[in-house]
Every structure is written in C-alpha cells, then in structure tokens.
Amino acid sequence: MSTKTVPKVNLFPLTTEVNKQGHLCIGDCDVVELAEEFGTPLYIFDEFTLRHKCCEFKDEFCKYHPDTLVIYASKAFLNKALALIFKEERLGLDVVSGGELSIAHSVDFPLDKVYFHGNNKTPEELKLALDLGVGKIVVDNFYELELLNRLARKRGIDQNILLRLSPGVDPHTHGYTTTGTIESKFGFPLATGQAEEAVNRASSASNLNLLGLHFHLGSPVSEIQPYELAIELALGFAREMGKKFDFNIGEFDIGGGFAVPYTADSRVPTIGEYARAITDKLNSLVSGLGLNRPRLIVEPGRAIVAQAGVALYKVGAVKEIPGIKRYVCVDGGISDNIRPALYGAKYEALVANKALESEGNMVTIAGKLCESGDILVQDVNLAAARPGDIIAIPVCGAYSIPMASNYNALPRPAIVMVKEGRARLIRRRETYQDLMSLDLI
Ligand code: LLP
C-alpha cells in the first residue's frame, strides 16, 4: 500500500484493506465489485465497525461510571437493519419524531430504552409515544409540559420525563448545529429562571414523573471543556432544585455531539478521552455537591455511524479548465450528501480501483446536480481519475442518508451492509417509479 494513501485509509471502516489489484476492500468485499453489482451512488456500511463503536462507547463510559446507558441518536441514520443491530448491542435510542419511533417499533426495539426528544413534538406524536409506552419523553418547553400531562392524565398513566435545559454554553461548532447557547430554540434556559419554573411545574404535575435533566450542546463538538462547563452548571442547578422542590436527579443526560475525524489532518478527542473527562467531572461534582449518583445517559449519533459508512460514486466527465481547475464529476452529489454545501463540511476521497497508485492530481469532486454549490470535495489529491473509475468518500455514515433528497428528481442511493465477505442490501435504490409513486393527477 502506498504510504501516501495510508492516512486516508485510516479514515475508512476498521476492516478496510487494499487488495492485490489495488482495489479498496471493506468487510472483505471488493468495493469495485460492489459498485458493479449494486450500481452507484452506493452507500456501504461495515457491520464490524458499527458494532465496535457501540461496544467502545459502552466500555469506555461504563469503565468510569458503570450506571451509564448509551442511546444512539437515530437522526444520524436509522433504518430497520441498523435498528436491529443497536437492539442486539443493547443500546437505547434517541428519537425525535413519530417516524423514527415507528422504525424502532417495527423491529420491536425495547421502548423503555427510547428517549423522545424534540422542540415541537406534535400532539399526534406524543399520543403515539404514550400509546406505545416510550420510556422517557424529554420535555422541551411549557406548552409540551402541559400538553403531555393532559394526555397522560387522559390515559391514566404516569409518564417518565426529563427536562431539557438550555445551559448557555457555546460548544464552538457550526451555528446551524449549535444548541447550547441561550438563544437556542431548544430547552428551558437556566439563566432566565425558566428552567427553575419548569422543575416547579413538572414536580407538581399530576401525571408526570420527573426523573432527571438533559442538555445537548451541539454537533460536532471537538472540545471537551464545553461539556465540563455544562455539567457543572446543570448539576449545580440540580442541587438548588433539590433544596427548593421535591427533586432528585435520578438521570443525567449529557446529550451527544462527539466529533469524529473527517480528514487526515483533523484531530478530535477519542471516545475514551470524552468518557474520561465527562465521568471525572460528573463523579467529582456529585460527591462535592452531596448528590446521589445519577444514571448517566450519553447520546452519540455521528461517532457511532460516521466511520462505518462509505459513499461510492462513478466518475463521468473529467473537466479541465486550463490553469484554473480540474473537475472530476460523479453520479451523485448534494442530493445524497448536502453536508459540504450546508455546513462547509470537508471530506477526503480515494479512487477505489486505484488505491495503490500515487496521488499527484489536485482535483475538485463535483456532483451532477444543477447548482454550482454541488461540490462534494474541494481540492483533494487523487490518483489520475478517468471516466468509469470509482470514487470512495470515507466517513459518510452519519447524516448524509437521512438528509438526502430527490432534488433534480434523482433517485436516492442503495445501501449495503458488508460483513466477512458478504454484502446484503439494507435499502434498495429508488426507481423513477418510486419518485412518482405518491403523485396523484
Ligand atoms: N442528542 C440530541 C438531543 C441531538 O440533537 C443530537 C444531534 C444528538 C444527540 C447527536 O449528535 P451527534 O452525536 O450525532 O453529534 N445534520 C448535522 C448534525 C445535526 C445534529 C442534530 N442533533 C450534520 O450533518 O453535521
């Protein structure tokens, strides 16, 4: 394997190798053959990497805080096959809609381990959650608190809830995915007294059982300090509330947001480093403040699925603008991955059928959609790419698929799960017929 490609290869799933033909192999499957068999664009998920990440989160957090529940944040990507894997790995689930909840329910996911988030759950979604017996509902605002209590009373049940705090902590990430700051649309602000009022109302609500507190700062958060600060604020608040009301923090949910490296030069904390710092802070504050040790809930999405997923595209046109730019155009784009256009997200890329060739060509990988902003990777070093070559983009497992669209009426890609030399389709490619299947004349 050429040393030049090694840092990139490390971004790919844990089972990635390059075979004698110079083809990228994942889960013992030659991805060039997968592209041939299933077509492109194609998303590949490596089952070993997925399961490994689930275990790493459980092991690292439980090492320091045995009573930790890892709940996977479904918004990063959930379908039936993934939901089954998380069920087998005994994770809990964070859902934010009736749709995500229905996917979980369809595979008999244990609903007592489901946490229902969201800043504007509809009455229909709350009714569905109550009727299915969702374990915890994370209440975001006063409207929801009242509505949920009413719905629970009607059904004669006591619903377990957490309150979402808005701690006023800046996680230093993209503005679109920042949620910890005071002006955020999410949660009850600590600083304005609304969080205290929420504890007051929740603890006296007839049909709600206030189990604990939650915050989520943003995504991805590549610093550890914002977590430490927010934990300090939230637990200080918990102690105050314990003195004023009949409140004991049984569960403490510190959200998700754990960053992953997308490019060879990016440095972010490891899962172990996040776990160590978060549990250290929690454990020392709990004893210092004289609180009972709460159950810790962590909600990783990206850090579980991102590295497991790889996007494959076929090269069509290669366009040289002499002295200015060379475009390698592929058969997908912002319709299957909006992240570069929306957040300026950076990715690496590799020519999957030339993984051993030296990379001396600075190119821009463009999609096929009718927008100049449809660029998947700006300025990346690749082996010489020609029409028919297969481009592989690593770290595509999180948020690409769930944010995909049918812009320009492009069918959404197929998804395969690979494991030990076998590839199984876990979502078939959309057809032109699918695109019209909901239309009525
Ligand atoms: N918990 C809550 C309450 C959240 O809102 C989120 C993400 C997570 C957990 C999981 O965060 P993660 O561990 O995946 O960073 N579309 C954006 C990311 C939006 C994240 C929204 N909430 C992206 O593509 O980067």
Side-chain angles (χ1 to χ4, degrees), residues 324-336:
I324 297 181
K325 215 167 176 76
R326 186 187 293 170
Y327 284 107
V328 170
C329 301
V330 296
D331 52 2
I334 53 172
S335 51
D336 65 87

Side-chain angles (χ1 to χ4, degrees), residues 53 78 82 148 169 245 280 301 338 340 347 369 382 426 428:
K53 296 287 173 190
L78 191 72
L82 263 71
L148 185 62
V169 173
F245 308 104
D280 268 3
I338 189 91
Y347 288 89
L369 290 101
L382 284 190
I426 61 164
R428 69 162 172 81

Side-chain angles (χ1 to χ4, degrees), residues 5 16 32 61 108-109 117 124 145 155 174 285 361 424:
T5 63
T16 301
V32 182
F61 276 90
D108 280 332
F109 199 94
H117 284 275
E124 290 68 33
L145 195 65
R155 285 161 176 73
H174 197 285
L285 279 166
N361 306 274
R424 65 190 166 101

Side-chain angles (χ1 to χ4, degrees), residues 115-170:
Y115 287 64
F116 195 178
H117 284 275
N119 70 303
N120 193 23
K121 306 169 192 79
T122 64
E124 290 68 33
E125 287 176 321
L126 289 174
K127 284 179 202 163
L128 179 67
L130 292 176
D131 293 341
L132 291 179
V134 162
K136 277 102 195 178
I137 296 182
V138 184
V139 175
D140 178 271
N141 54 66
F142 292 116
Y143 164 75
E144 185 185 343
L145 195 65
E146 204 172 296
L147 174 62
L148 185 62
N149 189 44
R150 206 167 348 115
L151 295 172
R153 191 179 329 128
K154 227 181 193 173
R155 285 161 176 73
I157 53 177
D158 281 340
Q159 176 62 39
N160 285 330
I161 63 163
L162 306 187
L163 292 178
R164 178 162 183 168
L165 304 177
S166 175
V169 173
D170 188 349

Side-chain angles (χ1 to χ4, degrees), residues 282-330:
L282 172 63
N283 291 331
S284 70
L285 279 166
V286 160
S287 35
L289 294 169
L291 294 166
N292 292 331
R293 227 185 200 226
R295 160 172 283 194
L296 174 63
I297 315 292
V298 292
E299 308 182 328
R302 186 188 317 269
I304 290 201
V305 286
Q307 192 186 355
V310 174
L312 293 186
Y313 303 93
K314 188 176 274 183
V315 176
V318 177
K319 179 178 290 183
E320 179 93 34
I321 307 172
I324 297 181
K325 215 167 176 76
R326 186 187 293 170
Y327 284 107
V328 170
C329 301
V330 296

Side-chain angles (χ1 to χ4, degrees), residues 73 75 94 164 216 219 256-257 299-302 339 343 399 403:
K75 66 208 84 176
D94 143 3
R164 178 162 183 168
H216 171 74
S219 168
E299 308 182 328
R302 186 188 317 269
R339 300 192 67 259
Y343 312 118
Y399 297 105
M403 294 174 82

